[in-house]
Amino acid sequence: MLQQRSSGLLLHITSLPSAHGVGDLGPEAYRFADFLESAGQTYWQILPLTPVDPGAGFSPYSSPSAFAGNVLMISLEKLAEEGLLREEDLTTLHEKPLEDVTLSEPSAGDPAVLAGPLVLAPSTLHAAWLKKRPLLEQAAETFRRDASIARQADYVQFIERQAHWLDDYALFSALQEDTGEPFWLRWPEELVRRDPDAISQHTERLRDKIELIKIQQFFFFGQWNELIYYCYARKIHLIGDIPIYVQFNSADVWANPTMFKLDENLQPLYVAGAPPDYFSEYGQRWGNPIYDWEEHERTGFAWWMRRMRHQMSLYSLTRLDHFLGFAVYWEIPASEPTAKVGEWVKAPIEAFMHAMYRQFVTLPIIAEDLGARTADVQPHLRHYGIPGMRVIQFGFGEDLPTSSHIVHNHAENFVVYSGTHDNNTTLGWFRESSEAVCERLNDYMGFPVTTENVVDQVCRLTMQSVARLAIIPVQDLLKLDETNRMNTPGLGGRSWQWRLQPDQLTPEAAEWLLKLTKMTGRG
């Protein structure tokens, strides 16, 4: 899929500067696109756009929907431009400091709140939701009342095209709020089992709430498409991200229970995770329900085909997280408290990939092939020409000469990163590395590497790689330290909070990146 040398930056939408406590699809997104153009970049990589769950620490990889957009990212400024909000609404919002709402607990009926222990972020994401939600609902009400005939026609076309997921998601969210119970398994039995009469009755009764939810999704995808067109006009392509698993407490599991390994009470029989290893004595118990791959195969992987088609409508390339899970996955009995007890189970990757190619002919995807047992997927990636990932920070272990991550072992059909959203920043990684790692880095570079030059040198290695696509996190471009890390796996609400500050992206940074991009044949 990667035909020529190119490069880009990694920055999630929520990490953009904003007056509302969380980055959005408004003016700063367009300014970042302009920065990418001035720096000679071809790609902008983001994290998943789906709604987030306070119970999972606002991780974009744990969502109540595999299809919906995160309405927190809707730009209020763009709604005001459309006449759906007044300028004084935004002024009032600006005057209300985030600190006033940071400690507010989400109510039981808040559709953003899902099952599981609540891990409130110590910073801004939930506070931003509390600030923005009333104005998003107000704008949706205004749209429903005052939208022009042309805009109404656009909306009708949107809900018809997206009905395969939007109807279930909107009803799911409305029922969470209406019942005051965020976890669908604790709803009345007829709703848990999706009795057709009950579904029809509640859909009619909650018609107004459902429509407001759908209108906000219309806002989100409309603003996303506008940003895409702006980027495309500047020859900038978007790289999206899709987690392999879905959250148990999601519209997807509620609406499609036969697609997952559930018991007669609709409880998970098994959950996903990773086995114990050098870094984790008990392994990782992620808790996502396991797919019933036999049922998926029986349907021709129809749900996955809809999901992939949806992703392809949003991005030029899509990164498939935990690609290993399509070939073999660690299955943990749901009754086990850790990932220590489990077994490796094969998934039908050949049948899945054949179905994908029959549907799409070419697959604009990047496989996240990091971690244990990556050898299991390499033959499939080579056979189908799917690029995998290489991470420079991973290349300086004891296996340096043979490591697949060290630059001299790279191949063309890969995407190389200085670090990912799960890594420390390069400066933070260097500061926290062992003496042995630092010594290997010095030997490899041929001169002493210090805190002053390490980020430049790792970025240069990334761009000099023969891998056709190179991605650098914005934190590395700006030489930021460990306090600017996007995610530390396992830390819940203390992750995902990082945001770029206004004017941090300087013309000098663009000039440095442009020079490096041209010099390494990526411009």
Side-chain angles (χ1 to χ4, degrees), residues 130-143:
L130 292 174
K131 283 181 67 175
K132 290 184 74 168
R133 184 184 174 194
L135 286 184
L136 292 174
E137 292 180 345
Q138 177 184 324
E141 287 277 14
T142 303
F143 179 90

Side-chain angles (χ1 to χ4, degrees), residues 87-325:
E87 288 299 330
E88 48 263 42
D89 293 327
L90 303 190
T91 303
T92 303
L93 191 66
H94 290 164
E95 291 171 351
K96 184 178 184 181
L98 279 174
E99 290 74 14
D100 290 354
V101 289
T102 299
L103 299 179
S104 301
E105 293 285 341
S107 65
D110 188 334
V113 179
L114 304 177
L118 186 65
V119 186
L120 271 180
S123 186
T124 59
L125 288 175
H126 188 256
W129 170 248
L130 292 174
K131 283 181 67 175
K132 290 184 74 168
R133 184 184 174 194
L135 286 184
L136 292 174
E137 292 180 345
Q138 177 184 324
E141 287 277 14
T142 303
F143 179 90
R144 181 167 59 174
R145 185 182 64 245
D146 300 336
S148 67
I149 293 175
R151 288 293 283 157
Q152 288 178 29
D154 290 341
Y155 169 66
V156 170
Q157 187 178 59
F158 169 78
I159 61 174
E160 288 175 350
R161 285 181 175 174
Q162 308 298 332
H164 67 94
W165 66 266
L166 183 58
D167 290 347
D168 287 323
Y169 173 72
L171 178 58
F172 179 84
S173 301
L175 285 169
Q176 284 182 309
E177 188 171 359
D178 181 66
T179 61
E181 174 50 70
F183 189 19
W184 65 269
L185 210 52
R186 293 197 285 261
W187 291 347
E189 185 70 9
E190 67 272 14
L191 291 175
V192 170
R193 300 284 177 177
R194 291 179 61 87
D195 175 78
D197 290 339
I199 293 295
S200 177
Q201 175 191 341
H202 286 280
T203 300
E204 177 60 29
R205 184 176 64 82
L206 298 172
R207 188 194 322 177
D208 289 348
K209 283 184 181 178
I210 288 171
E211 186 168 14
L212 292 181
I213 292 166
K214 289 183 176 181
I215 291 171
Q216 289 176 62
Q217 289 298 309
F218 174 65
F219 290 162
F220 173 87
F221 286 104
Q223 291 190 4
W224 176 253
N225 286 331
E226 288 175 7
L227 179 60
I228 286 176
Y229 296 143
Y230 187 87
C231 290
Y232 283 177
R234 285 148 185 79
K235 299 181 180 177
I236 297 164
H237 294 266
L238 279 297
I239 302 177
D241 201 330
I242 176 172
I244 182 173
Y245 291 117
V246 300
Q247 186 172 271
F248 178 48
N249 192 37
S250 64
D252 306 286
V253 179
W254 175 63
N256 307 280
T258 60
M259 297 295 167
F260 302 87
K261 291 185 178 180
L262 309 180
D263 64 18
E264 64 275 9
N265 297 315
L266 300 179
Q267 293 277 7
L269 288 165
Y270 306 95
V271 295
D277 57 20
Y278 176 80
F279 300 101
S280 175
E281 179 183 356
Y282 297 101
Q284 299 175 53
R285 187 186 188 278
W286 303 330
N288 309 81
I290 294 290
Y291 292 114
D292 185 337
W293 282 113
E294 287 186 9
E295 180 64 15
H296 280 270
E297 190 169 359
R298 187 190 67 79
T299 65
F301 303 96
W303 182 86
W304 268 103
M305 297 305 110
R306 291 195 298 271
R307 190 180 187 192
M308 291 306 300
R309 188 176 295 108
H310 182 70
Q311 294 292 313
M312 292 176 191
S313 73
L314 303 178
Y315 316 111
S316 295
L317 284 169
T318 297
R319 172 187 177 273
L320 280 179
D321 193 46
H322 193 61
F323 191 83
L324 174 69

Side-chain angles (χ1 to χ4, degrees), residues 55-62 117 119 279-280 283-286 421-423 485-496:
F58 295 96
S59 167
Y61 294 88
S62 186
V119 186
F279 300 101
S280 175
Q284 299 175 53
R285 187 186 188 278
W286 303 330
H421 65 274
D422 284 332
N423 289 89
R485 184 172 182 167
M486 184 60 169
N487 179 45
T488 303
L491 283 193
R494 283 176 284 174
S495 291
W496 314 113

Side-chain angles (χ1 to χ4, degrees), residues 348-388:
I349 188 168
E350 282 295 341
F352 177 71
M353 296 305 297
H354 281 310
M356 293 263 277
Y357 269 92
R358 282 196 300 271
Q359 283 277 328
F360 306 115
V361 184
T362 58
L363 285 178
I365 62 176
I366 298 166
E368 189 271 289
D369 57 342
L370 309 175
R373 296 195 64 159
T374 56
D376 290 76
V377 297
Q378 297 309 315
H380 303 288
L381 298 185
R382 286 194 294 270
H383 179 74
Y384 291 102
I386 297 171

